[in-house]
């Protein structure tokens, strides 16, 4: 049964986009093309977002694979290639035919006291149409203080305006009032459904294996979809194709090791990176002989990537990730045990092909899998619970460069989903039982077209359109009319039309005003019954009962650079309208024997706020200050008597101050201060008895707040021999998490005391805090081999 679903929100003035898609290609005359790849001269890594400009003011930005293309009239030109943190290159060329110009950029020398905090062209924040978009350079992320010494890119993103932590020390995050499931997290194009280790306290991303991280929280381009709030696009390193290199680190809770090098010099390379924790392993002698002997916990990651360049026209990439958390608990005294293994696995095969100097293609085949299992028991009782998500994905993307300052992107995406709910099998003696829930299957597909172009010297426009579809498949029994659908039979189909528009008006070479509107559909949902996502939370698909989430975001911003792009400042306002939001009904009791969709209620939401951001990207002192003033609300007819209520992650004030200072060649100091309004929660207002049983009377939904959160972290990095030209170098990182040991509340729990005979009862609220002051030390090392001939 095919059903076309519409919503008032989707009655967007599409004609505006039809006007904007002007046939610029008709303007082309007898022109020639300059194209090529921009790479790091030391490692061979392609540089994403490098600027290639001509003396006439025409220019281009390299794409996700370091490729650029410019189509201009015959003549003499000066080509300038620049990238923040690298030495710019200028070349004089005579253009009377097509030219392939590959450029290797060298990093700025230490004598220039240049520190990179952003991975892009210097003035891209002014000229581009991107709003709420931040690129993070991993070298700088590694210098910031880290919980237990573990560098974490997701925790660094939480220090940006509009991005909120889901809890003390937690890698989960919320963006501009969106839920935790509304963030699209990608690792080499593969979706990561659970991005946390240790119940979310560490992310699954090993910083040594990451090349670039981009956060998009404003105008999401049309080539991204399936989520409402943000995109976190993480690219792995490709591997050094010049020489072998080894780097790693040894810390108090974990160690890591990365090996990379050429397979064929300047043509093929590889990288393998591994990480494992061992804190509880070291404690095993203390556990041995106790009733908890056999209890252990650790997590590990393995990243691998290889690539081969057949020619400038064809390149092949293969990358993979495998990570697991393993929790084993044993209690001999209680005759109780459980094992809790869970984790992600991804694999991405990509082929880049250059048809000509104007048309670039990338074809990807992607597999990703998240699985969770609980296996436990006590005495004769045993239980096994499994859940997960598995995707098979194929996509093709094209970049077309018809004329200067004009880039057209188009492509298609298809995903086959398999979603396994909490499937339970249990036994007690000779009696077996379970819930017999079946996996859900679905098709998801999308077509997109976007046009990024300039109108004169002041206007830059990015207009896009995305058409998405989602089909729920059998085996399925309708809860509406009891219709039985066989395996692979279509149950329900949704279509979504998603226009996107972003515009920049350049007030001057150093300032601009930007505006954008983004509409998106989301077909998979993670409904959590806690303040942050947990491994036990289950993804559910849209169905005949659960409609797709819909979101539209409006944004307006002013951007200004100072002192030759050394300082960047911006202020952005946004309003987000959310439809078909999902939550559990108020009397929901966790029952793994029932279908989750029967426990849902539906409503709408809104989020709005102002974000201030100022950053310094050059020199000995660098960092940023971000402040957000925001409100996030939900309205559900079946919750809170239909009245508006704040979400648990509604945070009125959020402030982050981040700084890194180079004292000299041997010492660097880093620090981060965060402040945020307390999270909302639903308090107990009273207790009373019904037939001698105490009953809790709760107040309005999320009507109380925890006390405000604030914390200071500091780090010191020491380079023993900074001027050393030896191939082996090392440095030490000392960090302190929560310097003044603030007892920040993690959650509230109630202790109930009642006397039915006397008819008295009371509930005492207690605030639980997790992390006091935590010092850590990590020794990092690297070895550079000689260049292979």
């Amino acid at each position: 049964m095919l059903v076309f679903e519409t919503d008032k929100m989707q009655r967007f003035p599409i004609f505006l986009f039809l006007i904007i898609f002007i046939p610029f290609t008709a303007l082309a005359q007898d022109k020639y093309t300059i194209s090529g790849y921009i790479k790091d001269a030391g490692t061979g890594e392609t540089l994403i977002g490098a600027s290639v400009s001509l003396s006439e003011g025409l220019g281009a930005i390299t794409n996700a694979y370091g490729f650029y293309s410019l189509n201009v009239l015959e003549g003499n030109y000066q080509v300038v290639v620049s990238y923040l943190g690298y030495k710019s290159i200028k070349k004089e060329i005579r253009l009377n035919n097509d030219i392939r110009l590959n450029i290797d950029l060298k990093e700025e020398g230490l004598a220039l006291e240049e520190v990179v905090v952003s991975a892009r062209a210097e003035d891209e924040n002014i000229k581009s149409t991107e709003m709420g978009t931040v690129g993070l350079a991993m070298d700088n992320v590694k210098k910031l203080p880290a919980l237990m010494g573990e560098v974490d890119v997701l925790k660094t993103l939480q220090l940006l305006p509009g991005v909120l932590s889901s809890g003390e020390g937690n890698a989960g995050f919320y963006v501009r009032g969106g839920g935790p499931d509304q963030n699209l997290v990608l690792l080499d194009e593969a979706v990561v459904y659970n991005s946390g280790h240790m119940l979310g306290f560490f992310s699954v991303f090993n910083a040594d294996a990451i090349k670039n991280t981009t956060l998009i929280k404003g105008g999401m381009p049309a080539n991204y979809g399936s989520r409402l709030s943000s995109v976190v696009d993480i690219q792995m390193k490709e591997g050094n194709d010049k020489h072998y290199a080894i780097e790693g680190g040894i810390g108090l809770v974990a160690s890591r090791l990365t090996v990379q090098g050429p397979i064929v010099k300047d043509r093929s390379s590889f990288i393998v990176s591994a990480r494992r924790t061992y804190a509880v392993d070291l404690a095993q002698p203390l556990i041995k002989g106790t009733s908890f002997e056999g209890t252990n916990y650790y997590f590990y990651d393995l990243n691998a990537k290889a690539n081969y360049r057949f020619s400038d026209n064809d390149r092949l990439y293969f990358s993979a990730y495998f990570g697991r958390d393993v929790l084993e608990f044993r209690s001999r005294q209680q005759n109780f045990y459980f094992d809790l293994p869970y984790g992600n696995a991804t694999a991405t095969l990509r082929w880049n092909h250059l048809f000509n100097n104007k048309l670039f293609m990338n074809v990807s085949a992607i597999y990703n899998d998240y699985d969770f299992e609980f296996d436990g028991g006590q005495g004769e009782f045993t239980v096994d619970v499994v859940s997960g998500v598995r995707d098979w994905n194929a996509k093709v993307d094209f970049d077309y460069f018809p004329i200067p300052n004009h880039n057209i992107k188009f492509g298609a995406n298809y995903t086959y989903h398999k979603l396994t709910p909490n499937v339970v099998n249990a036994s007690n003696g000779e009696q077996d039982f379970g819930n017999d829930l079946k996996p859900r299957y679905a098709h998801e597909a999308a077509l997109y077209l976007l046009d990024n172009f300039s109108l004169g010297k002041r206007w830059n426009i990015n207009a896009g359109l995305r058409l998405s579809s989602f089909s729920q498949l059998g085996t399925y029994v309708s809860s509406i009319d009891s219709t039985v659908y066989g395996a692979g039979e279509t149950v329900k189909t949704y279509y979504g039309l998603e226009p996107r528009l972003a515009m920049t008006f350049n007030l001057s070479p150093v300032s601009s005003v930007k505006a954008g509107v983004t509409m998106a559909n989301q077909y998979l949902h993670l409904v959590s019954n806690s303040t942050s996502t947990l491994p036990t939370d289950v993804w559910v698909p849209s169905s005949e009962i659960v409609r797709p989430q819909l979101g539209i975001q409006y944004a307006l911003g002013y951007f200004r650079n100072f002192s030759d792009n050394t300082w960047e400042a911006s202020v952005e306002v946004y309003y987000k309208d959310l439809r078909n939001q999902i939550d559990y009904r108020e009397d929901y009791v966790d029952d793994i024997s029932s279908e989750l969709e029967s426990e849902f209620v539906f409503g709408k939401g809104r989020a709005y706020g102002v974000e201030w951001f100022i950053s310094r990207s050059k020199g000995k002192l660098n960092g940023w200050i971000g402040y957000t003033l925001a409100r996030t609300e939900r309205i559900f007819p079946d919750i809170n008597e239909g009245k508006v209520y704040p979400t648990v992650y509604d945070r009125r004030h959020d402030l982050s101050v981040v700084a890194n200072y180079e004292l000299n060649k041997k010492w660097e100091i880093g620090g981060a201060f965060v402040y945020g309004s307390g999270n909302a929660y639903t308090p107990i207002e009273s207790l009373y008895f019904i037939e001698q049983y105490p009953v809790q009377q709760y107040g309005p939904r999320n009507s109380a707040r925890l006390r405000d959160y604030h914390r200071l972290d500091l780090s010191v990095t020491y380079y023993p021999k900074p001027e050393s030209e030896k191939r082996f170098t090392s440095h030490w990182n000392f960090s302190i998490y929560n310097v003044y040991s603030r007892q920040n509340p993690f959650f509230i729990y109630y202790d109930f005391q009642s006397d039915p005979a006397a008819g008295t009862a009371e509930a005492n609220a207690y605030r639980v805090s997790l992390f006091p002051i935590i010092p850590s030390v990590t020794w990092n090392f690297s070895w550079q081999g000689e260049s292979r001939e």
Side-chain angles (χ1 to χ4, degrees):
M1 178 171 61
L2 294 177
V3 178
F4 187 86
E5 296 286 332
T6 61
D7 190 276
K8 293 180 180 180
M9 245 180 25
Q10 291 181 298
R11 296 170 188 173
F12 188 85
I14 304 299
F15 68 88
L16 176 63
F17 289 87
L18 300 179
I19 293 174
I20 290 174
F21 283 114
I22 301 173
F24 282 87
T25 53
L27 301 177
Q29 304 172 18
D30 293 333
K31 297 182 178 181
Y32 299 103
T33 301
I34 311 168
S35 63
Y37 294 87
I38 310 299
K39 298 191 295 182
D40 184 306
T43 65
E45 292 273 356
T46 55
L47 298 179
I48 303 170
S51 173
V52 183
S53 58
L54 302 183
S55 49
E56 279 64 25
L58 303 175
I61 300 295
T62 56
N63 67 8
Y65 300 94
F67 177 78
Y68 75 94
S69 179
L70 279 166
N71 186 242
V72 294
L73 294 171
E74 179 180 351
N76 297 318
Y77 296 94
Q78 183 185 68
V79 181
V80 181
V81 181
S82 60
Y83 192 69
L84 192 61
Y86 288 75
K87 295 180 180 179
S88 298
I89 287 183
K90 298 180 180 180
K91 283 184 176 290
E92 303 290 339
I93 63 169
R94 168 65 181 171
L95 189 62
N96 53 16
N97 54 23
D98 290 344
I99 293 178
R100 181 63 54 82
L101 186 62
N102 298 328
I103 300 291
D104 291 348
L105 295 183
K106 295 182 178 180
E107 289 191 62
E108 295 276 17
L110 292 175
L112 296 179
E113 297 175 347
E114 191 83 7
V115 180
V116 184
V117 298
S118 181
R120 54 172 174 74
E122 288 189 357
D123 59 353
E124 185 183 353
N125 66 309
I126 299 296
K127 295 180 178 179
S128 76
T129 57
E130 296 174 342
M131 294 185 67
T133 301
V134 180
L136 293 176
M138 294 311 302
D139 286 344
N140 200 258
V141 171
K142 291 179 179 180
K143 297 175 183 178
L144 298 177
L147 175 62
M148 300 182 187
E150 283 301 296
V151 175
D152 197 321
V153 65
L154 294 188
K155 287 196 178 72
T156 303
L157 293 179
Q158 295 171 8
L159 299 173
L160 298 170
V163 184
L164 305 179
S165 165
S166 62
E168 170 75 274
N170 202 291
F173 60 100
Y174 306 96
V175 178
R176 289 187 172 179
D181 65 327
Q182 294 176 1
N183 305 310
L184 179 64
V185 181
L186 301 173
L187 179 63
D188 272 1
E189 300 188 76
V191 177
V192 179
Y193 282 97
N194 187 296
S195 58
H197 282 307
M198 196 177 169
L199 303 181
F201 289 108
F202 299 102
S203 80
V204 300
F205 304 112
N206 181 352
D208 288 348
I210 296 175
K211 171 182 177 179
N212 186 70
T213 299
T214 302
L215 168 69
I216 303 174
K217 56 189 172 75
M220 191 185 303
N223 53 313
Y224 293 106
S226 301
R227 300 293 187 274
L228 302 186
S229 289
S230 75
V231 177
V232 178
D233 194 352
I234 299 175
Q235 291 95 26
M236 288 171 53
K237 292 178 180 177
E238 297 162 8
N240 193 317
D241 67 5
K242 306 295 184 183
H243 55 78
Y244 291 111
I246 299 174
E247 64 177 314
I250 300 174
L252 298 180
V253 299
S255 291
R256 60 192 193 281
L257 181 67
T258 300
V259 180
Q260 58 182 315
I263 300 173
V264 179
K265 186 183 177 184
D266 296 328
R267 183 173 292 272
S268 177
S269 63
F270 76 94
I271 182 171
V272 177
S273 186
R275 175 178 61 159
R276 191 190 190 278
T277 59
Y278 43 66
V280 184
D281 290 320
L282 298 178
Q284 288 301 308
L286 302 177
I287 300 175
K288 188 175 182 180
T290 71
S291 61
F292 299 104
E293 182 176 349
T295 297
N296 199 359
Y297 169 77
Y298 58 90
F299 70 75
Y300 60 89
D301 300 298
L302 178 65
N303 296 78
K305 191 171 184 176
N307 70 89
Y308 189 87
R309 180 175 63 85
F310 296 93
S311 67
D312 269 0
N313 293 335
D314 291 282
R315 300 184 180 205
L316 195 65
Y317 300 84
F318 176 76
S319 59
Y321 166 83
F322 184 82
R324 278 292 179 272
D325 283 69
V326 179
L327 173 58
E328 301 168 339
F329 179 81
R330 301 292 184 270
S331 176
R332 294 183 178 181
Q333 183 176 357
Q334 302 294 329
N335 193 22
F336 172 71
Y337 76 95
F338 70 80
D339 296 322
L340 190 71
Y342 65 92
N344 299 277
T346 72
T348 305
L349 179 65
R350 290 181 286 185
W351 169 44
N352 290 174
H353 178 66
L354 197 59
F355 289 96
N356 52 52
N357 292 328
K358 297 181 181 180
L359 184 60
F360 178 94
M361 179 189 71
N362 177 70
V363 178
S364 301
I366 304 164
Y367 168 84
N368 61 279
D369 176 72
Y370 168 69
D371 63 85
F372 166 87
E373 182 176 5
F374 175 91
D375 179 27
Q378 186 171 27
E380 293 186 346
F381 175 76
T382 62
V383 60
D384 181 72
V385 182
V386 295
S387 65
V389 183
R390 183 173 296 174
D391 291 345
W392 291 265
N393 174 225
K395 62 193 293 284
V396 58
D397 303 281
F398 294 89
D399 276 2
Y400 180 52
F401 306 87
I403 59 176
N405 300 324
H406 189 195
N407 178 204
I408 297 174
K409 295 184 179 183
F410 57 96
N413 191 331
Y414 166 76
T415 304
Y416 180 71
H417 297 288
K418 177 184 178 182
L419 300 101
T420 303
N422 279 325
V423 178
V424 179
N425 290 291
S427 64
N428 192 358
E430 297 181 357
Q431 182 180 5
D432 297 327
F433 50 92
N435 58 12
D436 198 32
L437 297 180
K438 304 297 183 183
R440 297 289 184 87
Y441 300 90
H443 297 303
E444 184 173 359
L447 300 171
Y448 74 88
L449 172 67
L450 70 86
D451 195 353
N452 194 355
F453 59 92
S454 299
L455 290 178
K457 294 184 178 181
R458 289 187 176 269
W459 285 98
N460 297 315
I461 298 174
N462 186 315
L465 190 62
R466 185 180 182 91
L467 175 64
S468 61
S469 69
F470 185 90
S471 296
Q472 177 194 3
L473 306 177
T475 305
Y476 180 77
V477 178
S478 171
S479 59
I480 297 176
D481 56 15
S482 300
T483 302
V484 178
Y485 296 89
E489 188 176 354
T490 301
V491 179
K492 181 91 169 182
T493 295
Y494 294 95
Y495 295 99
L497 198 60
E498 306 173 16
R500 318 277 174 87
L501 176 63
M503 298 182 291
T504 298
F505 181 73
N506 295 291
L507 300 171
S508 71
V510 294
S511 64
S512 65
V513 174
K514 302 183 183 184
V517 59
T518 302
M519 186 178 292
N521 291 269
Q522 180 168 329
Y523 300 103
L524 298 184
H525 322 281
L526 183 71
V527 186
S528 178
N529 203 32
S530 61
T531 57
S532 63
T533 58
L534 297 172
T536 53
D537 294 332
V538 177
W539 287 86
V540 296
S542 296
S543 65
E544 61 177 0
I545 295 177
V546 181
R547 297 182 63 197
Q549 299 180 63
L550 303 174
I552 184 169
Q553 180 178 207
Y554 307 91
L556 177 68
Y558 173 72
F559 297 76
R560 178 74 160 86
N561 286 2
F562 303 89
S563 303
D564 192 27
N565 298 311
T566 298
W567 292 88
E568 300 178 1
S570 66
V571 57
E572 295 185 47
V573 297
Y574 67 89
Y575 181 87
K576 185 181 293 184
D577 189 6
L578 302 169
R579 305 288 180 88
N580 300 334
Q581 298 301 283
I582 307 172
D583 205 338
Y584 289 105
R585 54 185 172 82
E586 286 194 306
D587 58 348
Y588 169 70
V589 177
D590 193 359
D591 181 5
I592 57 177
S593 66
S594 62
E595 293 282 3
L596 275 180
E597 63 182 25
S598 64
E599 308 294 338
F600 295 154
V601 293
F602 307 93
K604 56 185 179 179
R606 62 190 179 211
Y608 47 93
V610 185
E611 299 171 359
W612 287 269
F613 185 64
I614 182 168
S615 68
R616 179 183 168 91
S617 57
K618 299 179 182 179
K620 286 189 173 184
L621 175 65
N622 63 84
W624 66 83
I625 300 174
Y627 171 71
T628 304
L629 175 66
R631 187 184 293 272
T632 304
E633 299 169 327
R634 296 292 185 265
I635 308 170
F636 280 69
D638 300 308
I639 295 177
N640 204 45
E641 299 178 347
K643 299 176 182 177
V644 177
Y645 64 90
T647 64
V648 293
Y649 43 89
D650 172 60
R651 194 170 300 170
R652 196 73 65 249
H653 305 281
D654 187 73
L655 171 70
S656 298
V657 181
V658 179
N660 191 82
Y661 182 70
E662 181 187 353
L663 287 173
N664 51 50
K665 301 303 180 185
K666 287 191 173 184
W667 294 94
E668 288 188 13
I669 299 175
F673 174 78
V674 294
Y675 169 85
S677 302
N679 285 350
Y681 72 97
T682 304
I684 292 178
E685 288 194 337
S686 62
L687 291 173
Y688 57 91
F689 288 93
I690 296 180
E691 297 181 353
Q692 294 189 337
Y693 289 99
V695 177
Q696 304 160 16
Q697 178 66 46
Y698 285 89
R701 174 71 71 100
N702 296 332
S703 58
R705 288 188 179 272
L706 301 174
R707 69 176 183 174
D708 292 351
Y709 181 101
H710 53 85
R711 189 189 78 242
L712 174 66
D713 305 331
L714 294 175
S715 70
V716 175
T717 304
Y718 172 62
Y719 302 87
K721 297 180 179 180
E723 306 294 342
S724 174
E725 296 183 359
K726 294 182 179 180
R727 288 187 289 166
F728 181 84
T729 60
S730 67
H731 65 272
W732 292 85
N733 182 270
F734 307 91
S735 66
I736 301 177
Y737 181 89
N738 197 4
V739 170
Y740 50 87
S741 200
R742 162 78 171 180
Q743 297 299 300
N744 287 301
F746 187 62
F747 65 86
I748 294 288
Y749 85 92
Y750 289 92
D751 180 34
F752 298 99
Q753 301 291 333
S754 63
D755 185 349
T760 61
E762 63 176 352
N764 297 310
Y766 292 91
R767 185 173 56 242
V768 177
S769 300
L770 283 185
F771 299 119
I773 180 173
I774 301 177
S776 63
V777 58
T778 304
W779 178 62
N780 301 287
F781 62 89
S782 66
W783 174 84
Q784 304 290 328
E786 294 183 349
S787 180
R788 293 186 62 184
E789 298 298 331

